Protein backbone atom coordinates (compact mmCIF):
# COMPACT_ATOMS: atom_id res chain seq x y z
CA UNK A 1 0.00 0.00 0.00
CA UNK A 2 2.82 2.41 0.92
CA UNK A 3 4.70 1.59 -2.28
CA UNK A 4 1.59 2.26 -4.34
CA UNK A 5 1.15 5.61 -2.59
CA UNK A 6 4.79 6.43 -3.29
CA UNK A 7 4.31 5.58 -6.96
CA UNK A 8 1.20 7.79 -7.16
CA UNK A 9 3.03 10.68 -5.49
CA UNK A 10 5.93 10.42 -7.92
CA UNK A 11 3.61 10.23 -10.93
CA UNK A 12 1.22 13.01 -9.86
CA UNK A 13 3.37 15.15 -7.56
CA UNK A 14 4.77 17.49 -10.22
CA UNK A 15 1.30 18.35 -11.54
CA UNK A 16 0.05 18.98 -8.00
CA UNK A 17 3.04 21.18 -7.17
CA UNK A 18 2.67 22.88 -10.54
CA UNK A 19 -0.80 24.19 -9.68
CA UNK A 20 0.28 26.64 -6.95
CA UNK A 21 3.35 27.52 -9.04
CA UNK A 22 1.06 28.44 -11.94
CA UNK A 23 -1.03 30.62 -9.62
CA UNK A 24 2.02 32.43 -8.24
CA UNK A 25 2.57 35.78 -9.99
CA UNK A 26 5.66 35.77 -12.21
CA UNK A 27 7.43 38.62 -10.36
CA UNK A 28 7.40 36.50 -7.19
CA UNK A 29 8.57 33.37 -9.04
CA UNK A 30 11.26 35.50 -10.74
CA UNK A 31 12.59 36.80 -7.43
CA UNK A 32 12.60 33.33 -5.85
CA UNK A 33 14.34 31.74 -8.87
CA UNK A 34 16.94 34.51 -9.07
CA UNK A 35 17.75 34.19 -5.38
CA UNK A 36 18.02 30.41 -5.63
CA UNK A 37 20.09 30.41 -8.84
CA UNK A 38 22.46 33.18 -7.72
CA UNK A 39 23.00 31.49 -4.37
CA UNK A 40 23.55 28.08 -5.96
CA UNK A 41 25.94 29.39 -8.62
CA UNK A 42 27.69 32.00 -6.43
CA UNK A 43 31.12 30.42 -6.84
CA UNK A 44 30.71 29.81 -10.58
CA UNK A 45 29.60 33.43 -11.02
CA UNK A 46 32.59 34.73 -9.03
CA UNK A 47 35.00 32.61 -11.08
CA UNK A 48 33.48 33.69 -14.40
CA UNK A 49 32.30 30.19 -15.28
CA UNK A 50 28.91 31.55 -16.40
CA UNK A 51 30.25 34.43 -18.51
CA UNK A 52 29.26 32.47 -21.64
CA UNK A 53 25.62 33.34 -20.77
CA UNK A 54 26.25 37.08 -21.23
CA UNK A 55 24.06 38.13 -24.19
CA UNK A 56 22.70 34.56 -24.47
CA UNK A 57 19.42 33.15 -23.22
CA UNK A 58 18.97 29.72 -21.62
CA UNK A 59 15.40 28.45 -21.40
CA UNK A 60 14.24 25.91 -18.83
CA UNK A 61 10.87 24.25 -19.37
CA UNK A 62 9.59 21.80 -16.74
CA UNK A 63 6.77 20.39 -18.80
CA UNK A 64 4.66 18.56 -16.24
CA UNK A 65 4.73 21.48 -13.80
CA UNK A 66 4.03 24.20 -16.35
CA UNK A 67 7.13 26.00 -15.04
CA UNK A 68 9.11 27.83 -17.68
CA UNK A 69 11.66 30.62 -17.59
CA UNK A 70 14.64 32.07 -19.43
CA UNK A 71 17.93 32.89 -17.71
CA UNK A 72 20.77 35.14 -18.82
CA UNK A 73 23.75 36.83 -17.22
CA UNK A 74 23.34 40.55 -16.53
CA UNK A 75 25.80 42.62 -14.52
CA UNK A 76 27.45 39.53 -13.08
CA UNK A 77 24.19 38.00 -11.81
CA UNK A 78 21.76 35.47 -13.23
CA UNK A 79 18.57 37.13 -14.30
CA UNK A 80 15.25 35.34 -14.86
CA UNK A 81 12.65 36.51 -17.33
CA UNK A 82 9.47 35.34 -18.98
CA UNK A 83 9.94 35.14 -22.70
CA UNK A 84 9.07 32.75 -25.47
CA UNK A 85 12.45 32.70 -27.19
CA UNK A 86 15.82 31.51 -25.98
CA UNK A 87 19.08 30.51 -27.64
CA UNK A 88 18.78 27.02 -26.16
CA UNK A 89 15.94 25.23 -24.35
CA UNK A 90 16.25 22.41 -21.85
CA UNK A 91 12.90 20.62 -21.61
CA UNK A 92 11.88 17.69 -19.51
CA UNK A 93 9.60 16.46 -16.77
CA UNK A 94 10.29 17.34 -13.14
CA UNK A 95 11.24 13.82 -12.02
CA UNK A 96 13.76 13.36 -14.84
CA UNK A 97 15.32 16.78 -14.23
CA UNK A 98 15.52 16.02 -10.50
CA UNK A 99 17.31 12.74 -11.21
CA UNK A 100 19.78 14.57 -13.47
CA UNK A 101 20.39 17.29 -10.86
CA UNK A 102 20.98 14.66 -8.17
CA UNK A 103 23.26 12.73 -10.55
CA UNK A 104 21.07 9.64 -10.39
CA UNK A 105 20.40 9.72 -14.14
CA UNK A 106 22.69 10.41 -17.07
CA UNK A 107 21.40 13.36 -19.14
CA UNK A 108 22.75 11.79 -22.34
CA UNK A 109 20.76 8.62 -21.67
CA UNK A 110 17.59 10.65 -21.02
CA UNK A 111 18.21 12.65 -24.20
CA UNK A 112 18.47 9.48 -26.29
CA UNK A 113 15.35 8.09 -24.60
CA UNK A 114 13.57 11.35 -25.60
CA UNK A 115 12.86 12.17 -21.95
CA UNK A 116 15.10 15.25 -22.03
CA UNK A 117 15.15 17.67 -24.93
CA UNK A 118 17.85 20.19 -25.73
CA UNK A 119 16.80 22.44 -28.58
CA UNK A 120 18.47 25.40 -30.21
CA UNK A 121 22.13 26.43 -30.00
CA UNK A 122 23.82 23.08 -29.36
CA UNK A 123 27.17 24.69 -28.55
CA UNK A 124 25.57 26.78 -25.80
CA UNK A 125 23.63 23.74 -24.59
CA UNK A 126 26.85 21.75 -24.38
CA UNK A 127 28.53 24.53 -22.37
CA UNK A 128 25.61 24.48 -19.90
CA UNK A 129 25.69 20.68 -19.67
CA UNK A 130 29.47 20.65 -19.10
CA UNK A 131 29.14 23.30 -16.38
CA UNK A 132 26.43 21.27 -14.65
CA UNK A 133 28.56 18.11 -14.87
CA UNK A 134 31.49 19.96 -13.27
CA UNK A 135 29.42 21.41 -10.40
CA UNK A 136 30.37 20.14 -6.98
CA UNK A 137 27.64 19.19 -4.54
CA UNK A 138 29.64 20.93 -1.79
CA UNK A 139 28.65 24.31 -3.22
CA UNK A 140 24.97 23.55 -2.58
CA UNK A 141 23.42 24.43 0.79
CA UNK A 142 23.32 21.23 2.86
CA UNK A 143 19.52 21.26 3.53
CA UNK A 144 18.78 21.73 -0.18
CA UNK A 145 21.28 19.02 -1.14
CA UNK A 146 19.84 16.55 1.38
CA UNK A 147 16.26 17.25 0.29
CA UNK A 148 17.16 16.91 -3.39
CA UNK A 149 19.02 13.64 -2.89
CA UNK A 150 16.30 12.12 -0.71
CA UNK A 151 13.58 13.11 -3.16
CA UNK A 152 15.62 11.75 -6.09
CA UNK A 153 16.13 8.46 -4.25
CA UNK A 154 12.39 8.29 -3.64
CA UNK A 155 11.62 9.01 -7.32
CA UNK A 156 14.19 6.46 -8.45
CA UNK A 157 12.74 3.78 -6.16
CA UNK A 158 9.17 4.47 -7.32
CA UNK A 159 10.16 4.31 -10.97
CA UNK A 160 11.82 0.92 -10.64
CA UNK A 161 9.11 -0.75 -8.57
CA UNK A 162 6.67 -3.00 -10.39
CA UNK A 163 3.21 -1.58 -10.88
CA UNK A 164 0.02 -3.41 -9.97
CA UNK A 165 -0.43 -4.55 -13.58
CA UNK A 166 2.93 -6.38 -13.49
CA UNK A 167 4.80 -3.92 -15.70
CA UNK A 168 7.70 -1.75 -14.58
CA UNK A 169 6.75 1.53 -12.89
CA UNK A 170 8.98 3.37 -15.39
CA UNK A 171 7.11 5.28 -18.03
CA UNK A 172 8.53 7.05 -21.04
CA UNK A 173 6.54 9.98 -22.29
CA UNK A 174 7.56 11.60 -25.59
CA UNK A 175 8.37 15.28 -25.21
CA UNK A 176 6.91 16.36 -28.51
Amino acid sequence: MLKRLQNLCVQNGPALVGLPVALTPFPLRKRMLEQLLNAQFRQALAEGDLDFLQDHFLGIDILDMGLRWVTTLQQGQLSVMARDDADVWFRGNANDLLLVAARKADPDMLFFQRRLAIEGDTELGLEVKNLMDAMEFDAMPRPLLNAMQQLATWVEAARTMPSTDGSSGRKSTPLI
Side-chain angles (χ1 to χ4, degrees), residues 67-89:
L67 182 57
R68 175 185 175 136
W69 72 90
V70 173
T71 301
T72 190
L73 186 68
Q74 294 179 333
Q75 300 171 352
Q77 294 290 303
L78 291 170
S79 177
V80 171
M81 58 200 69
R83 42 184 293 170
D84 291 329
D85 61 324
D87 296 308
V88 65
W89 280 98

Side-chain angles (χ1 to χ4, degrees), residues 147-162:
M148 180 182 71
Q149 288 181 324
Q150 287 176 355
L151 190 55
T153 298
W154 209 56
V155 166
E156 190 177 44
R159 287 189 158 196
T160 57
M161 75 177 61

Side-chain angles (χ1 to χ4, degrees), residues 81-130:
M81 58 200 69
R83 42 184 293 170
D84 291 329
D85 61 324
D87 296 308
V88 65
W89 280 98
F90 281 75
R91 291 187 167 96
N93 288 326
N95 290 328
D96 289 328
L97 294 172
L98 173 68
L99 292 172
V100 168
R103 297 197 174 126
K104 291 192 177 280
D106 176 29
D108 294 327
M109 178 192 68
L110 294 179
F111 176 78
F112 289 115
Q113 290 177 350
R114 298 186 57 171
R115 291 170 42 199
L116 175 65
I118 303 170
E119 302 167 353
D121 183 341
T122 54
E123 185 176 329
L124 181 61
L126 188 56
E127 285 186 74
V128 171
K129 180 192 171 296
N130 290 339

